[in-house]
Amino acid sequence: MTITATQRYAYTDLPRLMGLMTGDEKHGPAATSTMDVLWVLYDRVLRVAPDRVDDPERDRFLLSTGHGPMAYYAVLAAKGFVPESWLPGFGSYASPLGHHPDRVLVPGAEIGSGSLGHGLPIGVGTALGLRAQGLDEPRVWVLIGDAELDEGSNHEAIAFAGPAGLERLHTVVVDNSSASHARPGGIAARFEAAGWSAATVDGRDHEALYAAFTAPHPGRPRVVVAQVEPKSA
């Protein structure tokens, strides 16, 4: 079954769409660092569509870095999940587009998120749930930031998913040098030690991202580390 999001805008429209969202607490670097990853996923990889947000065969995308959702909202608008007219109200009292996404208010959002360290454990549970239901086609994608690897809950999820052979689970770590603690051998090595298939790519290179996202990894979960400019740059 093919599920394809509606093409409404181009990648070059994202800065304008993000520019419609103003106000305090925007977490701009957290948002802009994820822009390219989000675009490649929604434009070329994810099996999702605005009119099939409840389709059991859809891919599940979990935004763990929900404290910086502007790029996420811009991509959802570009793909027809939410109207562009919602964007200027971002973060206001009556707006469905809060500083953290709300799965009840935002069409296409699978989880409410923003507290660091929750998305990957939820992704593991989602992959297990799909397996238990005999749903073999849907894939689970989790987008986390490198600073989230400071949270122990993520390491428990990493350690479980590899031996469990959660092949339908995919994680993208956007690395903008925000983590407080370095990982010996780099981020990818942490996942590989737990049995994951791993790749590290330029987080602004769409072709490199697409190749890493679509590489086969039979019997193992997959992680892609997307390196972008440091948050402080």
Side-chain angles (χ1 to χ4, degrees):
M1 179 184 296
T2 299
I3 306 175
T4 305
T6 304
Q7 179 70 43
R8 299 184 63 199
Y9 297 82
Y11 168 76
T12 53
D13 291 308
L14 293 186
R16 180 186 66 82
L17 293 173
M18 290 179 66
L20 296 175
M21 291 174 273
T22 60
D24 297 329
E25 298 184 23
K26 294 191 299 182
H27 289 278
T32 55
S33 65
T34 65
M35 183 170 66
D36 296 271
V37 164
L38 285 165
W39 181 258
V40 173
L41 284 173
Y42 273 89
D43 192 55
R44 303 173 64 179
V45 178
L46 292 174
R47 297 165 56 254
V48 294
D51 59 346
R52 303 177 77 170
V53 295
D54 296 318
D55 191 320
E57 295 292 339
R58 75 191 183 279
D59 288 345
R60 274 66 167 178
F61 173 76
L62 312 182
L63 179 71
S64 189
T65 56
H67 55 287
M70 289 194 304
Y72 180 53
Y73 291 154
V75 171
L76 289 180
K79 293 300 179 181
F81 288 87
V82 303
E84 180 182 328
S85 60
W86 283 11
L87 300 181
F90 166 67
S92 63
Y93 175 76
S95 174
L97 304 182
H99 291 299
H100 291 197
D102 187 326
R103 62 175 294 273
V104 177
L105 299 178
V106 182
E110 297 283 355
I111 59 172
S113 61
S115 297
L116 299 183
H118 289 174
L120 187 51
I122 295 173
V124 168
T126 302
L128 287 171
L130 291 170
R131 176 190 282 181
Q133 295 175 73
L135 293 171
D136 299 325
E137 290 300 316
R139 299 164 300 182
V140 180
W141 291 83
V142 185
L143 176 57
I144 71 175
D146 64 310
E148 291 195 75
L149 295 176
D150 292 342
E151 303 294 331
S153 55
N154 274 328
H155 293 279
E156 293 178 1
I158 294 166
F160 178 86
L166 296 182
E167 182 178 345
R168 308 308 285 173
L169 177 64
H170 305 74
T171 298
V172 184
V173 182
V174 173
D175 180 9
N176 65 357
S177 302
S178 295
S180 299
H181 307 289
R183 302 290 158 200
I187 293 173
R190 170 66 187 92
F191 286 81
E192 289 177 319
W196 290 58
S197 167
T200 300
V201 299
D202 181 345
R204 300 302 188 193
D205 185 330
H206 290 197
E207 294 306 317
L209 288 168
Y210 178 74
F213 292 162
T214 56
H217 49 96
R220 296 193 290 168
R222 174 73 166 170
V223 63
V224 176
V225 181
Q227 296 179 325
V228 297
E229 62 279 0
K231 181 179 179 180
S232 58

